[in-house]
Amino acid sequence: MGYQDLSYWLSSLDEPLTPRAGLPGDTDADVAIVGAGYTGLWTAFYLAEADPTLRIVVLEREIAGYGASGRNGGWCSALFPTSLPALARRHGRDRALAMQRAMHDTVREVGRVVAAEGVDCDWRAGGTVVLARTGPQLDRARAAVAEAHAYGLTDDDLVLLDAAEAAARCAADGVRGGTYTPHCAAVHPAKLVRGLARAVERRGVRLHERTPVTALRPGAAVTPAGVVRAPVVVRATEGFTPALPGHRRSVAPVYSLMVATPPLPEETWARIGLAERETFSDHRHVIVYGQRTADGRLAFGGRGAPYHYGSRVRPDFDREPRVFAALRRALGELFPVLGPDVPVTHAWGGPLGVARDWAASVGLDRRTGLAWAGGYVGDGVGTSNLAGRTLADLITGRESDLTALPWVGHRSPRWEPEPLRWLAMNAGLRVMSSADETELRTHRPARRAALFARFLGH
């Protein structure tokens, strides 16, 4: 399988996916970054911008955008995996709100950079509509808006939609209402990550592909081709982190899968909506997500693939026929205009990183020089930019509003050892999937799903 086969996004690039030269041997740097996805590349970008004299080396096992950065749903959103109430309980109301405002600013910042750097990534800031199609889903929509407003946000940030307003944006079947936020842009994720790789190279960053890192230690990133010696080493490996020695239980790699239709005719889009290329979801328990692509496809994904014992990550896990079939059914239920046999041209998937407390984090251990960012739980397109800016400030020693945010320095607990991790993750998936089926069938809330979500720290 070639790199272009990893996702619709990578297959549609107008460039060869030829790996850059690998690391030629031992070398010295000021900062070594492991991983050429969004986190690693944004960190390199802002470091080079802050101090053009820095010697920055990025090491990537495959090619830039091989992981989640080249396979995700293309939501550059202000979503953060830890809720406002959870942040407020740990850090206080003001710092929780500062975190959310920083995420709002992040969407605008990514838009600014892609325009300034000429990164043609099909950027469209159309916001996100989250539909409610059952009574319990509508209750969750109301609760989400009430919670946001209780923490100082307004209708300009998140607004409750009635049935007509929601359907005007996304005319899915059986819509009862929903929510809308302007703080999201639809993007072509592979164009974004590949354009970002070129932007950092223009700033003098050395990017070595097909260079796996086998160990991280203070002052060094070790590869089969040689050692990069650097006082600061950044781990930016997200769902692939468990492969590093000592990190098997740092995050759990959870698979998210997607399908894409062929380009749909305009008369079909007239019935579906999404005229502003709003990203869309609904208020079910097991997350689904979609967007109208710039070339007129529906790209639609969701969770539902099993967690694999021992945090294993393998290419054959990217494709799960049962989940692809479920995604097609869900898409057909949302949009009956697609017909009984929803046409699909592409199907793919990949792992994302989940910390034990569902909390993304960023930090630098000044004693060892080891830095990290991740645990985005699928919200990494935007959050990785904030991570890159924050790491740049931490590494260069600049105190800023970003370095004072509550996720800085957070240490998540390690996941339980196997088989507890496998049992808990897959039991939770079954409970929440069953809850969604029950709600769609009976329109009554399923209490067990909420209880299990709280147990997992969701």
Side-chain angles (χ1 to χ4, degrees):
M1 180 187 295
Y3 292 126
Q4 71 278 3
D5 299 317
L6 291 170
S7 70
Y8 158 69
W9 309 115
L10 289 166
S11 74
S12 62
L13 291 175
D14 188 21
E15 63 171 288
L17 297 178
T18 305
R20 294 169 171 84
L23 183 71
D26 291 353
T27 191
D28 294 320
D30 296 306
V31 182
I33 298 172
V34 182
Y38 294 140
T39 300
L41 294 173
W42 280 124
T43 302
F45 179 88
Y46 289 107
L47 279 171
E49 190 174 64
D51 185 352
T53 69
L54 286 174
R55 297 168 301 166
I56 304 166
V57 174
V58 179
L59 304 171
E60 167 57 45
R61 188 180 77 177
E62 298 291 347
I63 63 168
Y66 171 84
S69 299
R71 313 189 205 184
N72 63 78
W75 289 35
C76 184
S77 78
L79 293 171
F80 191 72
T82 307
S83 69
L84 274 168
L87 283 171
R89 286 193 298 271
R90 297 172 189 169
H91 307 284
R93 175 191 171 93
D94 289 346
R95 295 187 73 199
L97 187 57
M99 187 76 227
Q100 187 60 72
R101 291 297 190 198
M103 289 301 305
H104 293 167
D105 293 341
T106 291
V107 178
R108 291 186 286 271
E109 169 64 7
V110 177
R112 182 194 70 79
V113 173
V114 299
E117 295 294 318
V119 178
D120 180 11
C121 61
D122 301 338
W123 179 272
R124 182 67 176 272
T128 298
V129 58
V130 183
L131 304 170
R133 300 173 59 237
T134 67
Q137 288 186 14
L138 187 56
D139 289 342
R140 286 195 282 274
R142 293 187 181 112
V145 173
E147 177 181 280
H149 289 193
Y151 282 88
L153 303 180
T154 71
D155 278 354
D156 290 336
D157 301 302
L158 185 69
V159 64
L160 186 68
L161 306 177
D162 64 25
E165 291 167 332
R169 289 191 177 274
C170 183
D173 185 57
V175 172
R176 296 184 174 198
T179 59
Y180 174 77
T181 174
H183 300 299
C184 186
V187 301
H188 186 303
K191 288 182 180 179
L192 174 58
V193 70
R194 301 292 293 180
L196 189 55
R198 290 188 289 271
V200 302
E201 286 184 308
R202 289 195 295 269
R203 284 165 167 74
V205 173
R206 287 181 286 161
L207 172 52
H208 296 293
E209 297 179 327
R210 300 296 293 270
T211 303
V213 172
T214 55
L216 298 179
R217 59 174 185 252
V222 180
T223 83
V227 176
V228 179
R229 295 177 294 267
V232 176
V233 179
V234 179
R235 172 171 57 82
T237 47
E238 194 55 350
F240 294 87
T241 299
L244 291 169
H247 290 282
R248 176 62 61 88
R249 291 163 55 194
S250 296
V251 298
V254 174
Y255 276 75
S256 197
L257 274 57
M258 293 195 70
V259 296
T261 70
L264 302 175
E266 282 304 315
E267 56 265 30
T268 301
W269 281 117
R271 295 177 64 181
I272 291 174
L274 303 175
E276 300 301 319
R277 287 189 57 211
E278 297 95 333
T279 57
F280 70 93
S281 181
D282 66 19
H283 282 279
R284 71 183 72 192
H285 295 288
V286 178
I287 293 171
V288 295
Y289 50 91
Q291 70 148 288
R292 176 179 180 170
T293 67
D295 64 349
R297 301 171 188 265
L298 265 173
F300 184 73
R303 314 289 161 80
Y307 162 79
H308 299 281
Y309 193 92
S311 293
R312 288 176 298 163
V313 173
R314 295 200 329 226
D316 52 310
F317 296 160
D318 297 345
R319 285 166 167 75
E320 183 72 42
R322 174 185 59 81
V323 179
F324 291 144
L327 289 172
R328 290 179 71 179
R329 285 196 302 273
L331 199 51
E333 290 166 0
L334 283 165
F335 306 113
V337 68
L338 296 176
D341 187 20
V342 176
V344 165
T345 58
H346 297 76
W348 71 97
L352 51 89
V354 181
R356 178 60 184 85
D357 56 1
W358 253 256
S361 64
V362 59
L364 168 64
D365 185 333
R366 298 194 181 279
R367 180 180 58 84
T368 63
L370 296 176
W372 75 92
Y376 305 130
V377 197
D379 295 328
V381 182
T383 314
S384 59
N385 172 274
L386 181 58
R389 286 184 284 143
T390 304
L391 282 171
D393 284 352
L394 290 170
I395 291 167
T396 58
R398 177 176 179 263
E399 292 187 7
S400 67
D401 290 342
L402 301 185
T403 61
L405 291 172
W407 71 324
V408 176
H410 176 77
R411 299 279 190 172
S412 296
R414 289 161 62 82
W415 278 96
E416 291 82 357
E418 299 291 18
L420 295 177
R421 185 160 75 251
W422 181 85
L423 289 169
M425 295 287 281
N426 288 314
L429 175 62
R430 286 192 296 272
V431 167
M432 288 189 276
S433 296
S434 175
D436 285 331
E437 292 173 6
T438 298
E439 289 185 1
L440 285 170
R441 187 174 62 253
T442 67
H443 288 202
R444 292 197 303 270
R447 304 297 181 189
R448 286 193 304 161
L451 290 171
F452 205 95
R454 285 198 292 273
F455 166 75
L456 287 175
H458 212 302

